[in-house]
Amino acid sequence: MTDSTGRRVTANLSLTLDGRFNGPGGPGDFSMFAPYVTSEVARDQLTRIWEGATTALLGRVNAEGFMGYWPAVAEDENADPRDRGYAKWLVDTEKVVFSTTLTEAPWERTRVVNAPAPAVVAELKATGAGDILVNSCPSVIKPLLAADLLDRLYLMIFPEIAGGGQRLFDDGLPASKWTLIHQATGELGEIAMVYDRVR
């Protein structure tokens, strides 16, 4: 759903075969993802997600985790160049953090909002240029899926069944059709996919 500025709303997320974005241990259980996130396919997908993006949307928990980790990678000359590229982009780009508890942003080039994601996205689409990336944040992706406001999905599928945890695609979402524009399979069986919304 693009308007006169032509800004796309994109989202990236990693999922298990049973559609979970975390494991049965709760929101911080990413143990089943660990073997795959540094694979060639996953790192190439990491580059793909941010190349056209000029704004990152994050929930508070993700923002705290990301901004606690990635700035050091941006400065690490020994880090994989794809990791450094993403890290530098994340530090330098405009960030919008959804939070009901933060009153001011502890990071540069960041503003905190306490508003519904669809309203914030509509405001962002009205000005500026470049993709608006919902950066691995299910709490923001879900309401945008429900409002049919996502134009592109970057998904990493890891070949594990978590058996518990939270799912991205809940029952009750509006029906939608997507077209596959990119696919790559890694040596461990991980699959990177890019889907565009058919409108």
Side-chain angles (χ1 to χ4, degrees), residues 56-102:
L57 303 189
L58 296 151
R60 177 188 59 82
V61 173
N62 271 42
E64 289 173 347
F66 285 10
M67 298 312 290
Y69 175 78
W70 286 106
V73 176
E75 303 299 322
D76 182 359
E77 294 181 5
N78 296 315
D80 185 285
R82 293 164 293 187
D83 291 353
R84 284 193 79 191
Y86 169 77
K88 288 178 179 178
W89 169 82
L90 184 63
V91 169
D92 293 341
T93 201
E94 172 193 25
K95 291 170 284 294
V96 178
V97 175
F98 291 85
S99 176
T100 57
T101 55
L102 285 177

Side-chain angles (χ1 to χ4, degrees), residues 109-184:
R109 290 173 285 286
T110 306
R111 67 183 171 107
V112 174
V113 296
N114 181 2
V120 173
V121 163
E123 172 197 320
L124 287 168
K125 282 173 70 79
T127 59
D131 289 352
I132 301 161
L133 170 66
V134 187
N135 202 355
S136 193
C137 187
S139 66
V140 180
I141 295 171
K142 284 185 171 205
L144 294 178
L145 276 172
D148 196 17
L149 288 174
L150 287 178
D151 303 306
R152 174 170 286 180
L153 284 171
Y154 297 97
L155 298 177
M156 282 296 307
I157 307 298
F158 297 138
E160 304 221 0
I161 292 174
Q166 295 172 282
R167 293 182 192 274
L168 175 62
F169 299 110
D170 294 324
D171 287 346
L173 288 173
S176 58
K177 184 174 181 178
W178 300 76
T179 186
L180 182 68
I181 64 161
H182 177 83
Q183 178 181 340

